Amino acid sequence: KGIFNNKILKKGEYGTFKGMYLTDVHNFDGCNRLLIANNEIIRVDTVTKSLSSSSYGIDLVRSKVNIYHNSIVLINNGSKQVLNVTSAGSEGDVRNNIFVAKKVSKKGNNSNYVINSSVINLEKMTFDYNNYYCTDTIHDYFDSIPRFSASISGGGGNAVFTSIDILRDKLGQDKHSVCEIPNFVYPNTD
């Protein structure tokens, strides 16, 4: 049982977007974890005047999930959290996904994270074989260098990881993951 083969698309500039919001999902139909697989979640806002709309690809609150083979692309000027884990009760396996958080223009200086968590150690989450790409600062808009940005906070601490190598070193996660520009067909025109 799970959530499979969906295409969730939002075009437009206003309002908070949550592709999937999962709260208190556990022991789903007798299974230990809900499977979220082969989904495409896209938020595209090509209008550069909007700075306040936030985007969340998958938002987890006290949920037990396996997240496999999903493509999540958030393109706008508001803050972006491709995977947002907001409770110590969340656990799961996150593998073989493509997570993209990209700015539309040089306007705004909102935070963009491929992973955002208020759970400091993520000890019940496993991340590997993912491709992460984000642009975070105004200088990245015209820059084709792959970026990585994750924010892990909680327990009185806060850490922003700007390199996947630093995340590997500090958390022991994502041993086989990469930061590559995904070769997608632009969803707004094709």
Side-chain angles (χ1 to χ4, degrees):
K1 302 284 180 174
I3 302 171
F4 308 109
N5 304 320
N6 293 288
K7 183 172 184 175
I8 301 167
L9 172 65
K10 178 177 180 178
K11 293 181 181 180
E13 62 180 285
Y14 298 109
T16 298
F17 170 76
K18 291 188 179 188
M20 289 186 190
Y21 178 72
L22 303 169
T23 184
D24 294 312
V25 175
H26 44 82
N27 297 323
F28 184 76
D29 251 4
C31 299
N32 187 32
R33 295 179 179 163
L34 176 69
L35 178 61
I36 300 170
N38 299 315
N39 296 289
E40 189 174 306
I41 300 172
I42 301 170
R43 196 280 165 87
V44 178
D45 172 6
T46 57
V47 179
T48 59
K49 66 183 177 182
S50 174
L51 301 177
S52 60
S53 54
S54 298
S55 297
Y56 304 86
I58 298 176
D59 196 358
L60 296 178
V61 180
R62 295 177 309 277
S63 295
K64 296 180 181 180
V65 296
N66 289 331
I67 301 172
Y68 301 141
H69 309 290
N70 298 283
S71 296
I72 303 174
V73 180
L74 305 177
I75 302 173
N76 71 328
N77 275 334
S79 62
K80 290 168 275 309
Q81 291 85 35
V82 179
L83 177 61
N84 192 41
V85 182
T86 58
S87 174
S90 293
E91 68 178 61
D93 192 22
V94 182
R95 296 180 188 264
N96 298 309
N97 298 286
I98 300 172
F99 291 168
V100 177
K102 188 166 174 49
K103 289 180 71 66
V104 176
S105 74
K106 292 172 70 172
K107 292 182 180 180
N109 196 18
N110 293 308
S111 58
N112 302 320
Y113 300 116
V114 289
I115 302 168
N116 185 56
S117 177
S118 59
V119 182
I120 189 65
N121 57 12
L122 290 174
E123 65 186 28
K124 293 183 179 183
M125 300 287 291
T126 303
F127 296 86
D128 210 356
Y129 296 98
N130 297 298
N131 182 11
Y132 303 116
Y133 174 72
C134 74
T135 58
D136 192 34
T137 66
I138 61 172
H139 305 291
D140 291 341
Y141 175 68
F142 298 106
D143 189 345
S144 62
I145 298 170
R147 305 284 187 207
F148 177 84
S149 184
S151 174
I152 313 296
S153 63
N158 184 27
V160 175
F161 301 100
T162 56
S163 151
I164 195 164
D165 293 327
I166 296 171
L167 180 77
R168 285 183 187 124
D169 183 52
K170 297 293 183 187
L171 298 180
Q173 297 277 8
D174 284 306
K175 182 177 178 183
H176 302 96
S177 295
V178 297
C179 293
E180 302 284 332
I181 299 172
N183 191 17
F184 287 128
V185 175
Y186 187 60
N188 205 27
T189 60
D190 298 322

PDB file of all heavy atoms in Angstrom, residues 1-4 22-36 63-65:
ATOM      1  N   LYS A   1       0.843  -1.190   0.000  1.00  0.00           N
ATOM      2  CA  LYS A   1       0.000   0.000   0.000  1.00  0.00           C
ATOM      3  C   LYS A   1       0.878   1.240   0.000  1.00  0.00           C
ATOM      4  O   LYS A   1       1.936   1.258   0.602  1.00  0.00           O
ATOM      5  CB  LYS A   1      -0.908   0.028   1.229  1.00  0.00           C
ATOM      6  CG  LYS A   1      -1.802  -1.142   1.369  1.00  0.00           C
ATOM      7  CD  LYS A   1      -2.953  -1.063   0.411  1.00  0.00           C
ATOM      8  CE  LYS A   1      -3.825  -2.285   0.607  1.00  0.00           C
ATOM      9  NZ  LYS A   1      -5.012  -2.273  -0.133  1.00  0.00           N
ATOM     10  N   GLY A   2       0.399   2.273  -0.684  1.00  0.00           N
ATOM     11  CA  GLY A   2       1.172   3.493  -0.691  1.00  0.00           C
ATOM     12  C   GLY A   2       0.616   4.541  -1.629  1.00  0.00           C
ATOM     13  O   GLY A   2      -0.519   4.458  -2.101  1.00  0.00           O
ATOM     14  N   ILE A   3       1.455   5.514  -1.916  1.00  0.00           N
ATOM     15  CA  ILE A   3       1.124   6.603  -2.825  1.00  0.00           C
ATOM     16  C   ILE A   3       2.046   6.461  -4.026  1.00  0.00           C
ATOM     17  O   ILE A   3       3.260   6.634  -3.909  1.00  0.00           O
ATOM     18  CB  ILE A   3       1.325   7.969  -2.138  1.00  0.00           C
ATOM     19  CG1 ILE A   3       0.452   8.062  -0.878  1.00  0.00           C
ATOM     20  CG2 ILE A   3       1.013   9.103  -3.109  1.00  0.00           C
ATOM     21  CD1 ILE A   3       0.737   9.278  -0.013  1.00  0.00           C
ATOM     22  N   PHE A   4       1.494   6.102  -5.200  1.00  0.00           N
ATOM     23  CA  PHE A   4       2.271   5.771  -6.380  1.00  0.00           C
ATOM     24  C   PHE A   4       1.857   6.584  -7.600  1.00  0.00           C
ATOM     25  O   PHE A   4       0.669   6.877  -7.785  1.00  0.00           O
ATOM     26  CB  PHE A   4       2.081   4.300  -6.786  1.00  0.00           C
ATOM     27  CG  PHE A   4       2.306   3.318  -5.697  1.00  0.00           C
ATOM     28  CD1 PHE A   4       1.249   2.634  -5.146  1.00  0.00           C
ATOM     29  CD2 PHE A   4       3.576   3.058  -5.224  1.00  0.00           C
ATOM     30  CE1 PHE A   4       1.434   1.703  -4.152  1.00  0.00           C
ATOM     31  CE2 PHE A   4       3.782   2.131  -4.231  1.00  0.00           C
ATOM     32  CZ  PHE A   4       2.708   1.453  -3.693  1.00  0.00           C
ATOM     33  N   LEU A  22       2.017  14.784   5.063  1.00  0.00           N
ATOM     34  CA  LEU A  22       1.708  13.544   5.753  1.00  0.00           C
ATOM     35  C   LEU A  22       1.911  13.731   7.247  1.00  0.00           C
ATOM     36  O   LEU A  22       3.011  14.051   7.704  1.00  0.00           O
ATOM     37  CB  LEU A  22       2.615  12.424   5.245  1.00  0.00           C
ATOM     38  CG  LEU A  22       2.542  12.177   3.739  1.00  0.00           C
ATOM     39  CD1 LEU A  22       3.656  11.262   3.288  1.00  0.00           C
ATOM     40  CD2 LEU A  22       1.191  11.600   3.370  1.00  0.00           C
ATOM     41  N   THR A  23       0.860  13.535   8.016  1.00  0.00           N
ATOM     42  CA  THR A  23       0.963  13.664   9.460  1.00  0.00           C
ATOM     43  C   THR A  23       0.404  12.402  10.132  1.00  0.00           C
ATOM     44  O   THR A  23      -0.641  11.893   9.737  1.00  0.00           O
ATOM     45  CB  THR A  23       0.245  14.935   9.965  1.00  0.00           C
ATOM     46  OG1 THR A  23       0.450  15.057  11.364  1.00  0.00           O
ATOM     47  CG2 THR A  23      -1.227  14.952   9.646  1.00  0.00           C
ATOM     48  N   ASP A  24       1.144  11.903  11.091  1.00  0.00           N
ATOM     49  CA  ASP A  24       0.753  10.725  11.872  1.00  0.00           C
ATOM     50  C   ASP A  24       0.433   9.518  11.001  1.00  0.00           C
ATOM     51  O   ASP A  24      -0.517   8.780  11.257  1.00  0.00           O
ATOM     52  CB  ASP A  24      -0.435  11.054  12.786  1.00  0.00           C
ATOM     53  CG  ASP A  24      -0.056  12.066  13.851  1.00  0.00           C
ATOM     54  OD1 ASP A  24       0.998  11.867  14.490  1.00  0.00           O
ATOM     55  OD2 ASP A  24      -0.792  13.048  14.027  1.00  0.00           O
ATOM     56  N   VAL A  25       1.226   9.306   9.968  1.00  0.00           N
ATOM     57  CA  VAL A  25       1.067   8.135   9.111  1.00  0.00           C
ATOM     58  C   VAL A  25       2.011   7.051   9.626  1.00  0.00           C
ATOM     59  O   VAL A  25       3.233   7.204   9.602  1.00  0.00           O
ATOM     60  CB  VAL A  25       1.400   8.466   7.634  1.00  0.00           C
ATOM     61  CG1 VAL A  25       1.347   7.216   6.789  1.00  0.00           C
ATOM     62  CG2 VAL A  25       0.451   9.520   7.105  1.00  0.00           C
ATOM     63  N   HIS A  26       1.437   5.965  10.139  1.00  0.00           N
ATOM     64  CA  HIS A  26       2.239   4.837  10.597  1.00  0.00           C
ATOM     65  C   HIS A  26       1.367   3.599  10.664  1.00  0.00           C
ATOM     66  O   HIS A  26       0.143   3.683  10.779  1.00  0.00           O
ATOM     67  CB  HIS A  26       2.898   5.122  11.954  1.00  0.00           C
ATOM     68  CG  HIS A  26       1.992   5.767  12.951  1.00  0.00           C
ATOM     69  ND1 HIS A  26       1.096   5.079  13.716  1.00  0.00           N
ATOM     70  CD2 HIS A  26       1.824   7.070  13.265  1.00  0.00           C
ATOM     71  CE1 HIS A  26       0.424   5.905  14.494  1.00  0.00           C
ATOM     72  NE2 HIS A  26       0.848   7.130  14.236  1.00  0.00           N
ATOM     73  N   ASN A  27       2.008   2.454  10.566  1.00  0.00           N
ATOM     74  CA  ASN A  27       1.299   1.164  10.541  1.00  0.00           C
ATOM     75  C   ASN A  27       0.148   1.193   9.553  1.00  0.00           C
ATOM     76  O   ASN A  27      -0.967   0.783   9.841  1.00  0.00           O
ATOM     77  CB  ASN A  27       0.818   0.783  11.943  1.00  0.00           C
ATOM     78  CG  ASN A  27       1.970   0.581  12.889  1.00  0.00           C
ATOM     79  OD1 ASN A  27       3.010   0.056  12.484  1.00  0.00           O
ATOM     80  ND2 ASN A  27       1.823   1.010  14.124  1.00  0.00           N
ATOM     81  N   PHE A  28       0.439   1.676   8.374  1.00  0.00           N
ATOM     82  CA  PHE A  28      -0.562   1.828   7.333  1.00  0.00           C
ATOM     83  C   PHE A  28      -0.985   0.463   6.815  1.00  0.00           C
ATOM     84  O   PHE A  28      -0.190  -0.283   6.261  1.00  0.00           O
ATOM     85  CB  PHE A  28       0.019   2.685   6.198  1.00  0.00           C
ATOM     86  CG  PHE A  28      -0.942   2.989   5.108  1.00  0.00           C
ATOM     87  CD1 PHE A  28      -1.927   3.936   5.283  1.00  0.00           C
ATOM     88  CD2 PHE A  28      -0.868   2.323   3.899  1.00  0.00           C
ATOM     89  CE1 PHE A  28      -2.821   4.227   4.276  1.00  0.00           C
ATOM     90  CE2 PHE A  28      -1.760   2.604   2.886  1.00  0.00           C
ATOM     91  CZ  PHE A  28      -2.735   3.557   3.075  1.00  0.00           C
ATOM     92  N   ASP A  29      -2.217   0.099   6.997  1.00  0.00           N
ATOM     93  CA  ASP A  29      -2.777  -1.173   6.536  1.00  0.00           C
ATOM     94  C   ASP A  29      -1.926  -2.364   6.960  1.00  0.00           C
ATOM     95  O   ASP A  29      -1.689  -3.278   6.181  1.00  0.00           O
ATOM     96  CB  ASP A  29      -2.922  -1.151   5.012  1.00  0.00           C
ATOM     97  CG  ASP A  29      -4.372  -1.083   4.574  1.00  0.00           C
ATOM     98  OD1 ASP A  29      -5.251  -0.978   5.436  1.00  0.00           O
ATOM     99  OD2 ASP A  29      -4.610  -1.137   3.356  1.00  0.00           O
ATOM    100  N   GLY A  30      -1.417  -2.320   8.177  1.00  0.00           N
ATOM    101  CA  GLY A  30      -0.619  -3.422   8.694  1.00  0.00           C
ATOM    102  C   GLY A  30       0.850  -3.381   8.287  1.00  0.00           C
ATOM    103  O   GLY A  30       1.635  -4.192   8.745  1.00  0.00           O
ATOM    104  N   CYS A  31       1.221  -2.451   7.422  1.00  0.00           N
ATOM    105  CA  CYS A  31       2.626  -2.308   7.023  1.00  0.00           C
ATOM    106  C   CYS A  31       3.315  -1.354   7.989  1.00  0.00           C
ATOM    107  O   CYS A  31       2.689  -0.464   8.549  1.00  0.00           O
ATOM    108  CB  CYS A  31       2.732  -1.750   5.601  1.00  0.00           C
ATOM    109  SG  CYS A  31       1.977  -2.811   4.373  1.00  0.00           S
ATOM    110  N   ASN A  32       4.598  -1.522   8.154  1.00  0.00           N
ATOM    111  CA  ASN A  32       5.343  -0.662   9.063  1.00  0.00           C
ATOM    112  C   ASN A  32       5.457   0.760   8.523  1.00  0.00           C
ATOM    113  O   ASN A  32       5.330   1.711   9.258  1.00  0.00           O
ATOM    114  CB  ASN A  32       6.730  -1.245   9.319  1.00  0.00           C
ATOM    115  CG  ASN A  32       7.466  -0.481  10.392  1.00  0.00           C
ATOM    116  OD1 ASN A  32       6.857   0.049  11.318  1.00  0.00           O
ATOM    117  ND2 ASN A  32       8.769  -0.407  10.271  1.00  0.00           N
ATOM    118  N   ARG A  33       5.714   0.891   7.217  1.00  0.00           N
ATOM    119  CA  ARG A  33       5.901   2.220   6.619  1.00  0.00           C
ATOM    120  C   ARG A  33       5.083   2.359   5.335  1.00  0.00           C
ATOM    121  O   ARG A  33       4.968   1.427   4.559  1.00  0.00           O
ATOM    122  CB  ARG A  33       7.368   2.445   6.275  1.00  0.00           C
ATOM    123  CG  ARG A  33       8.269   2.494   7.471  1.00  0.00           C
ATOM    124  CD  ARG A  33       9.697   2.700   7.028  1.00  0.00           C
ATOM    125  NE  ARG A  33      10.606   2.766   8.156  1.00  0.00           N
ATOM    126  CZ  ARG A  33      11.904   2.623   8.051  1.00  0.00           C
ATOM    127  NH1 ARG A  33      12.463   2.442   6.878  1.00  0.00           N
ATOM    128  NH2 ARG A  33      12.669   2.687   9.112  1.00  0.00           N
ATOM    129  N   LEU A  34       4.579   3.541   5.125  1.00  0.00           N
ATOM    130  CA  LEU A  34       3.873   3.864   3.889  1.00  0.00           C
ATOM    131  C   LEU A  34       4.900   4.065   2.782  1.00  0.00           C
ATOM    132  O   LEU A  34       5.906   4.743   2.972  1.00  0.00           O
ATOM    133  CB  LEU A  34       3.066   5.151   4.068  1.00  0.00           C
ATOM    134  CG  LEU A  34       2.335   5.673   2.829  1.00  0.00           C
ATOM    135  CD1 LEU A  34       1.185   4.735   2.471  1.00  0.00           C
ATOM    136  CD2 LEU A  34       1.811   7.082   3.071  1.00  0.00           C
ATOM    137  N   LEU A  35       4.658   3.484   1.613  1.00  0.00           N
ATOM    138  CA  LEU A  35       5.554   3.631   0.474  1.00  0.00           C
ATOM    139  C   LEU A  35       5.092   4.788  -0.404  1.00  0.00           C
ATOM    140  O   LEU A  35       3.945   4.834  -0.842  1.00  0.00           O
ATOM    141  CB  LEU A  35       5.596   2.346  -0.350  1.00  0.00           C
ATOM    142  CG  LEU A  35       6.466   2.377  -1.606  1.00  0.00           C
ATOM    143  CD1 LEU A  35       7.927   2.640  -1.256  1.00  0.00           C
ATOM    144  CD2 LEU A  35       6.332   1.066  -2.369  1.00  0.00           C
ATOM    145  N   ILE A  36       6.009   5.741  -0.628  1.00  0.00           N
ATOM    146  CA  ILE A  36       5.760   6.856  -1.536  1.00  0.00           C
ATOM    147  C   ILE A  36       6.738   6.675  -2.688  1.00  0.00           C
ATOM    148  O   ILE A  36       7.943   6.821  -2.517  1.00  0.00           O
ATOM    149  CB  ILE A  36       5.995   8.205  -0.831  1.00  0.00           C
ATOM    150  CG1 ILE A  36       5.060   8.342   0.370  1.00  0.00           C
ATOM    151  CG2 ILE A  36       5.815   9.361  -1.801  1.00  0.00           C
ATOM    152  CD1 ILE A  36       5.370   9.518   1.259  1.00  0.00           C
ATOM    153  N   SER A  63       5.594  10.695  10.893  1.00  0.00           N
ATOM    154  CA  SER A  63       5.168   9.697   9.916  1.00  0.00           C
ATOM    155  C   SER A  63       6.281   8.696   9.625  1.00  0.00           C
ATOM    156  O   SER A  63       7.459   9.033   9.690  1.00  0.00           O
ATOM    157  CB  SER A  63       4.736  10.383   8.624  1.00  0.00           C
ATOM    158  OG  SER A  63       3.586  11.167   8.853  1.00  0.00           O
ATOM    159  N   LYS A  64       5.883   7.488   9.297  1.00  0.00           N
ATOM    160  CA  LYS A  64       6.820   6.426   8.946  1.00  0.00           C
ATOM    161  C   LYS A  64       6.622   6.109   7.471  1.00  0.00           C
ATOM    162  O   LYS A  64       5.563   5.608   7.071  1.00  0.00           O
ATOM    163  CB  LYS A  64       6.562   5.194   9.808  1.00  0.00           C
ATOM    164  CG  LYS A  64       6.822   5.457  11.285  1.00  0.00           C
ATOM    165  CD  LYS A  64       6.556   4.233  12.127  1.00  0.00           C
ATOM    166  CE  LYS A  64       6.810   4.541  13.593  1.00  0.00           C
ATOM    167  NZ  LYS A  64       6.562   3.380  14.451  1.00  0.00           N
ATOM    168  N   VAL A  65       7.647   6.414   6.675  1.00  0.00           N
ATOM    169  CA  VAL A  65       7.511   6.302   5.219  1.00  0.00           C
ATOM    170  C   VAL A  65       8.802   5.791   4.580  1.00  0.00           C
ATOM    171  O   VAL A  65       9.887   5.948   5.129  1.00  0.00           O
ATOM    172  CB  VAL A  65       7.155   7.665   4.585  1.00  0.00           C
ATOM    173  CG1 VAL A  65       5.809   8.163   5.050  1.00  0.00           C
ATOM    174  CG2 VAL A  65       8.232   8.697   4.871  1.00  0.00           C
TER     175      VAL A  65
END
